[in-house]
Amino acid sequence: MASLRQPTANARLGVLGRLILRHPRLLVAVAVTLAILGGWLAATRLVLDADTNHLIAADRPFKIDFDAWLAEFGDLERIHVAVDAGNDDDLAARVVRELVTRLEDRDDLPTVHGWIPGLDQWRLAPRALPDEELAELVRSEPALALLAGPASPAAVLKAGTERLTRLDGPHALQSSDADRRDLGGSGFLLLGALAAAADDIGSEVPDDPVGLGGIRPDRPLQNPGGRLRFIEILPRKEFGSLAAIAEPLAAIRSAIAEVAAAHPGVEIGVTGKPVLQADELATSDADMTRCAAGALAIIAVLLVRAFRGWRRPLLMVAAFAIAFGWTYGAATLLVGRLNLLSIVFMLVLVGVGLDYGVHVLSRWIDRRRDGLSIEDTVDVTMRTAAVGNLFGAATSAGVFLLAILTDFGGLRELGVIAGAGLLLCMVAMNMLLPAMLVLDDRRSSSTTPRVVPPPGDPPPLAQEHAPADRGSAWILGAAAIVTLVLGTIVASRARFQDNLLELQAEGLESVEWEHRVLADSTSASWFAASIADSMGEVERITAAAANEPLVGEVRSVLDLVRPDTPARDRLLQRLASIETIAPPEERSDTDRPIGAEDLRAAAEVAARLADLARLAAVGSASDLAAVAERLSILAEAAIDDPHAVRAAIAAARDRAREAVTAMIDGAAADLRDALPAAVRDRLVSPGGRFMISLVPAEDIWSPEPMGRFVEAIRRLDPGVTGVPITQFESLRDMRSAFLEMSLGAAVLVGFFVWLDFRSVRRTLAVMTVLAIALLWTIGTATLLGVHLNVANFFAIPILIGLGVDGAIHLLHRVDECGDGPLDLGGVRRAVALTAVTTGIGFGSLIFARHRGLESLGVVMAVGSLSCLIATLVILPALVRVGWRGRE
């Protein structure tokens, strides 16, 4: 230590030391200016991108397919409101309608669908009818034209009765079979449209089909075989904020609460991928805010107590804040955005960046208390703490920068920003903090004489002694046993946890409803997408998928329409070309109200034809008999209340007009426009391509079922895409990135440690204690039931940086001791302090509700303790046993 106390001239100081001593104010001014500039760049140009799809590298083949699918079909990630009214279908329908009414007019909810309306079903009907029924419908062209026009109910009744009468007289014998079918079909359509009015007058009517004038019920959105009713909502998504759907989601939950209060027996919940992500972000953000506040308070008290004052720790925090501004500027220039992974660089810098300042401040206080001048203290700090920081930061940053070589895009951006941030923190602590300390000490020296402790009084941060040499072998033996036991646990029980649903907070409503949706039938949140260019290709894929047991449900346009054929196309063209007509009596204003006699006459004709079974048209004999019965009911009711019957018939006539008009419009429209709005987007793209949705038969939140499902659907269609594919491939990329970064980190650590010490023995010592610390971390975490996952795996590069940084500083202290007593001094205290502060900073997340963040807290707390023991206990033992006194 004597050599460190000798006065040194400015010539002995390096360029950096001279700059710090000569121009400390200039350094501070430049640093603050650059921090302000970095903050301004970030505020004006740095973009926050909360879209999870953008975490995937755009050059990955599966991402290229996924982006092409999104460009073709648009955003299909909906919010799903689930309604469970037990077996009361009417109550479920009322609740769904109330919710849709409350939500459909909101600007931030552009799409809200709770059912397929009856008119949408009529619009689609021509494309859904079998070939023969479509042909029969088109042969009834005159009746359709009459129904689509302004003809009165009386005119329709008269025209229908006349057509059936012609089949019941001599004219029928002179007509061809085709003419009889056309007459019968037209008469059936016309009378059936009016006969549907029997449903509106409260009489008991048969359940047989009633024709175009009937009330076509809305079709609920419901899983096949399930009892849950769904409302599908596409919210406006603002990915420039972490709260991408916070406002629309709050509105949906508010509406749910109001409707649920009005219907106590009905359960209503909300889930879907956007909701799961929003709830996860909200939970994790609240957890990090709460835990960070508590951790910062504890760390602040710890630093003040460790350094016996608040002024110098405050300078360290100020230097760190300036480095933070630099990092934001660098992030803006290097990447230009923050994604959901790279925003954690703040945690990385808080957890590691301050450590460099602890080492500098510890050395500074030690040397000043030893009586060194400001100039000598700068010299010692530059030759010890600054060098250790340089190589420690280079190693830590290098580990993060290795992410550039991986396939996971979000991790690449995190690696660039965190790596750059660590280097900038090192620069701030090596240059800016000493300059601030120089200014502070000069000010203090000019006002208050500095008190140098007497030689026999050990400085508070310097007097630490290592265990006796004879205990080193016992320490290494015990460490070997613990390492062997934990290594066995890692080999047999450790795994990478892929189930993202298990990382969510327990009791989260959206997670619970996601499980209920899975239990109801098949998942509303998960489906793979196969894209076809023709209806024939849709038929081929759906047929193959139907025979795949791992596919639970196949959804395609063929669920709603019949395949196109030239004959069907011609029929649709004929239907689309129908022009509305009015009968002569309508045009001459000879219409009169319908009476009971008119209805009875029509019913008698229909009944007579049904009995003779002579009808061969759109309806069957039983259908015609049902029409006759309904007309008879109307005739009887008209005797007692003719006005009510006429009103009911007029309403049925209007419904028939709407139904026929909808069918004509649907036949004239292209297929996509003919489809109901509630399902259109997920069946046919605006460009005319078809999507086949492949729903898994198993719960693929778990990795094994997900892998089996992906393998199965890729056999059906190698180009299949969708969320299951991107999730599967992304998780695989993240696992690969973790392994690649771990192997790269081993090489990088070895290189930088050797570059620092130019000693194979010291390099092996650092690598050994680092491997022991990581093995202990993973093994202990596994014992605690915590596995590496997407939320905590980046703890490993942080712990590598922590372990390497501490080991480098300790070995530099060993070199300072030379052949004298191994007095680790303030370095031991600094290493312990950095490990404790990092452990507290991240370990506070143990109290998080989000189970992924909780696991990060466990790994970091265990890892910090493991690094502390490995660096301060095992490494000194290796030094004594391995080379001390032999070099």
Side-chain angles (χ1 to χ4, degrees):
M1 292 295 293
S3 62
L4 296 181
R5 294 176 181 269
Q6 292 176 358
T8 57
N10 286 345
R12 289 190 54 192
L13 300 176
V15 174
L16 182 58
R18 288 198 298 271
L19 182 62
I20 291 170
L21 287 171
R22 292 178 179 176
H23 306 290
R25 287 186 174 84
L26 178 62
L27 276 176
V28 173
V30 171
V32 171
T33 301
L34 290 176
I36 294 173
L37 179 60
W40 174 79
L41 279 174
T44 56
R45 300 185 184 180
L46 188 63
V47 177
L48 176 60
D49 185 358
D51 190 347
T52 55
N53 292 328
H54 293 168
L55 294 176
I56 307 170
D59 57 353
R60 300 287 287 135
F62 72 90
K63 182 60 163 56
I64 294 174
D65 291 340
F66 183 77
D67 287 341
W69 171 59
L70 286 181
E72 183 73 29
F73 287 89
D75 184 5
L76 298 177
E77 292 182 356
R78 304 296 207 257
I79 292 174
H80 301 283
V81 176
V83 175
D84 187 352
N87 296 319
D88 192 336
D89 291 340
D90 292 336
L91 177 58
R94 288 200 305 273
V95 170
V96 168
R97 194 165 296 276
E98 287 181 30
L99 284 168
V100 171
T101 301
R102 291 171 183 265
L103 298 173
E104 62 185 352
D105 292 331
R106 288 187 61 91
D107 293 335
D108 53 5
L109 300 176
T111 300
V112 180
H113 295 299
W115 57 84
I116 298 177
L119 278 181
D120 281 6
Q121 298 173 52
W122 283 122
R123 183 178 173 85
L124 188 64
R127 297 178 182 274
L129 289 173
D131 291 356
E132 181 57 30
E133 291 185 20
L134 177 60
E136 292 173 349
L137 178 67
V138 172
R139 282 198 295 268
S140 302
E141 178 180 345
L144 294 175
L146 186 66
L147 288 172
S152 68
V156 172
L157 181 66
K158 181 179 179 181
T161 304
E162 288 178 349
R163 281 167 170 77
L164 293 187
T165 301
R166 291 170 64 185
L167 289 177
D168 193 31
H171 178 79
L173 299 176
Q174 301 171 6
S175 303
S176 65
D177 290 343
D179 289 341
R180 286 196 296 272
R181 283 197 300 269
D182 293 347
L183 282 172
S186 295
F188 174 79
L189 285 179
L190 294 170
L191 294 184
L194 301 183
D199 292 317
D200 298 340
I201 62 174
S203 302
E204 291 187 7
V205 293
D207 294 330
D208 304 87
V210 297
L212 299 173
I215 299 175
R216 190 153 191 128
D218 296 332
R219 179 178 170 183
L221 302 182
Q222 193 170 18
N223 279 331
R227 76 177 192 180
L228 296 179
R229 301 287 184 93
F230 292 97
I231 302 172
E232 294 190 354
I233 303 171
L234 179 64
R236 187 177 62 230
K237 300 173 182 178
E238 301 290 347
F239 288 120
S241 165
L242 288 178
I245 62 168
E247 188 173 341
L249 182 56
I252 292 171
R253 283 181 162 146
S254 175
I256 288 175
E258 293 173 1
V259 173
H263 301 280
V266 180
E267 296 180 89
I268 312 172
V270 60
T271 188
K273 184 182 175 184
V275 182
L276 291 169
Q277 291 176 347
D279 285 352
E280 181 176 30
L281 284 173
T283 304
S284 57
D285 185 51
D287 285 339
M288 285 193 290
T289 301
R290 184 180 65 255
C291 295
L296 284 175
I298 296 173
I299 291 172
V301 172
L302 187 63
L303 290 175
V304 170
R305 287 183 59 84
F307 291 116
R308 306 289 179 89
W310 60 269
R311 195 174 68 254
R312 283 167 170 162
L314 185 61
L315 293 177
M316 180 179 67
V317 172
F320 174 75
I322 290 173
F324 219 61
W326 298 351
T327 304
Y328 268 105
T332 305
L333 296 175
L334 296 175
V335 179
R337 68 176 183 177
L338 294 178
N339 60 44
L340 292 176
L341 267 184
S342 60
I343 58 173
V344 304
F345 86 90
M346 294 182 287
L347 288 176
V348 175
L349 298 191
V350 172
V352 181
L354 279 172
D355 294 350
Y356 307 136
V358 169
H359 286 293
V360 168
L361 191 54
S362 178
R363 287 302 184 102
W364 184 277
I365 292 175
D366 281 352
R367 301 290 76 84
R368 293 292 282 155
R369 284 176 174 165
D370 284 346
L372 268 66
S373 66
I374 293 177
E375 290 77 9
D376 289 341
T377 301
V378 170
D379 180 33
V380 172
T381 302
M382 291 298 103
R383 289 191 290 107
T384 55
V387 174
N389 281 347
L390 173 64
F391 285 97
T395 305
S396 300
V399 172
F400 275 100
L401 291 171
L402 285 172
I404 298 174
L405 305 178
T406 68
D407 289 327
F408 193 64
L411 195 57
R412 292 179 190 172
E413 295 179 12
L414 169 62
V416 170
I417 297 174
L422 289 175
L423 291 175
L424 291 172
C425 282
M426 178 271 296
V427 171
M429 298 307 176
N430 277 3
M431 294 180 61
L432 178 61
L433 179 58
M436 297 168 78
L437 291 170
V438 166
L439 291 173
D440 182 68
D441 278 19
R442 284 176 178 172
R443 183 188 61 81
S444 300
S445 298
S446 64
T447 58
T448 305
R450 182 168 52 89
V451 178
V452 179
D457 184 14
L461 290 179
Q463 196 63 28
E464 296 280 348
H465 295 286
D469 290 352
R470 62 177 175 270
S472 296
W474 287 102
I475 291 173
L476 295 179
I481 294 173
V482 174
T483 302
L484 180 62
V485 171
L486 291 177
T488 304
I489 292 172
V490 170
S492 61
R493 294 168 55 182
R495 61 182 176 84
F496 194 89
Q497 186 177 15
D498 287 333
N499 192 323
L500 301 184
L501 208 59
E502 293 178 353
L503 301 182
Q504 294 270 31
E506 291 187 17
L508 208 59
E509 179 205 25
S510 56
V511 176
E512 292 180 352
W513 275 96
E514 179 69 14
H515 286 301
R516 289 187 63 170
V517 169
L518 289 169
D520 181 61
S521 179
T522 49
S523 173
S525 298
W526 289 90
F527 64 88
S530 181
I531 302 174
D533 292 316
S534 67
M535 198 73 86
E537 193 175 354
V538 174
E539 289 185 88
R540 178 185 63 79
I541 295 174
T542 53
N547 295 321
E548 173 53 62
L550 292 175
V551 177
E553 183 185 350
V554 184
R555 301 169 182 164
S556 75
V557 69
L558 292 180
D559 296 334
L560 300 178
V561 304
R562 302 278 174 163
D564 290 333
T565 63
R568 288 186 66 87
D569 289 342
R570 287 192 295 272
L571 291 172
L572 291 173
Q573 289 172 6
R574 282 185 58 188
L575 183 60
S577 64
I578 291 178
E579 296 182 0
T580 61
I581 62 172
E585 54 267 36
E586 281 284 292
R587 289 192 292 269
S588 60
D589 297 323
T590 58
D591 188 28
R592 61 181 178 79
I594 293 177
E597 298 79 7
D598 302 318
L599 294 168
R600 190 175 295 110
E604 289 173 354
V605 174
R608 191 162 54 250
L609 289 176
D611 290 340
L612 296 174
R614 293 165 56 188
L615 181 64
V618 175
S620 65
S622 61
D623 293 337
L624 191 57
V627 170
E629 183 175 357
R630 289 169 182 269
L631 289 172
S632 297
I633 292 172
L634 289 171
E636 294 299 322
I639 297 174
D640 298 328
D641 192 350
H643 296 292
V645 170
R646 289 169 186 161
I649 292 175
R653 167 68 187 98
D654 291 339
R655 289 194 295 266
R657 181 186 295 109
E658 292 174 351
V660 174
T661 302
M663 286 194 292
I664 294 173
D665 291 344
D670 61 29
L671 176 57
R672 174 178 163 81
D673 290 337
L675 291 169
V679 297
R680 178 184 301 148
D681 291 339
R682 61 173 181 245
L683 296 177
V684 182
S685 74
R689 304 184 75 188
F690 303 95
M691 186 176 84
I692 303 100
S693 298
L694 307 174
V695 181
E698 302 177 279
D699 175 7
I700 63 170
W701 281 103
S702 299
E704 293 80 10
M706 180 186 291
R708 292 193 296 268
F709 177 69
V710 170
E711 182 181 358
I713 60 177
R714 279 179 166 167
R715 288 195 300 267
L716 299 173
D717 178 10
V720 69
T721 186
V723 175
I725 304 297
T726 58
Q727 188 115 318
F728 175 77
E729 293 291 352
S730 297
L731 289 171
R732 190 159 66 175
D733 280 353
M734 293 186 76
R735 288 193 297 271
S736 298
F738 172 72
L739 293 175
E740 292 168 6
M741 290 180 66
S742 299
L743 294 175
V747 175
L748 201 65
V749 168
F751 171 74
F752 278 113
V753 174
W754 178 86
L755 190 65
D756 186 8
F757 295 102
R758 304 300 172 98
S759 167
V760 174
R761 187 173 295 174
R762 284 169 171 76
T763 301
L764 290 176
V766 173
M767 298 291 289
T768 299
V769 297
L770 183 60
I772 289 172
L774 294 179
L775 191 63
W776 286 10
T777 299
I778 298 174
T780 304
T782 302
L783 277 177
L784 296 173
V786 175
H787 299 278
L788 290 178
N789 55 56
V790 296
N792 65 27
F793 81 99
F794 73 88
I796 300 303
I798 296 176
L799 292 173
I800 289 174
L802 178 66
V804 169
D805 186 61
I808 287 175
H809 282 283
L810 189 138
L811 288 181
H812 275 291
R813 178 62 179 175
V814 169
D815 289 344
E816 291 176 38
C817 294
D819 294 330
L822 189 57
D823 179 9
L824 299 181
V827 171
R828 168 174 285 181
R829 186 70 61 84
V831 170
L833 187 59
T834 57
V836 170
T837 55
T838 301
I840 292 174
F842 283 98
S844 62
L845 294 173
I846 291 174
F847 302 102
R849 288 184 60 218
H850 188 277
R851 284 179 285 182
L853 289 180
E854 178 190 11
S855 72
L856 173 60
V858 171
V859 172
M860 285 302 301
V862 172
S864 298
L865 181 60
S866 299
C867 288
L868 179 63
I869 295 173
T871 303
L872 296 186
V873 179
I874 298 176
L875 183 55
L878 281 175
V879 168
R880 294 186 183 93
V881 173
W883 73 78
R884 187 161 171 76
R886 301 179 188 178
E887 294 186 335

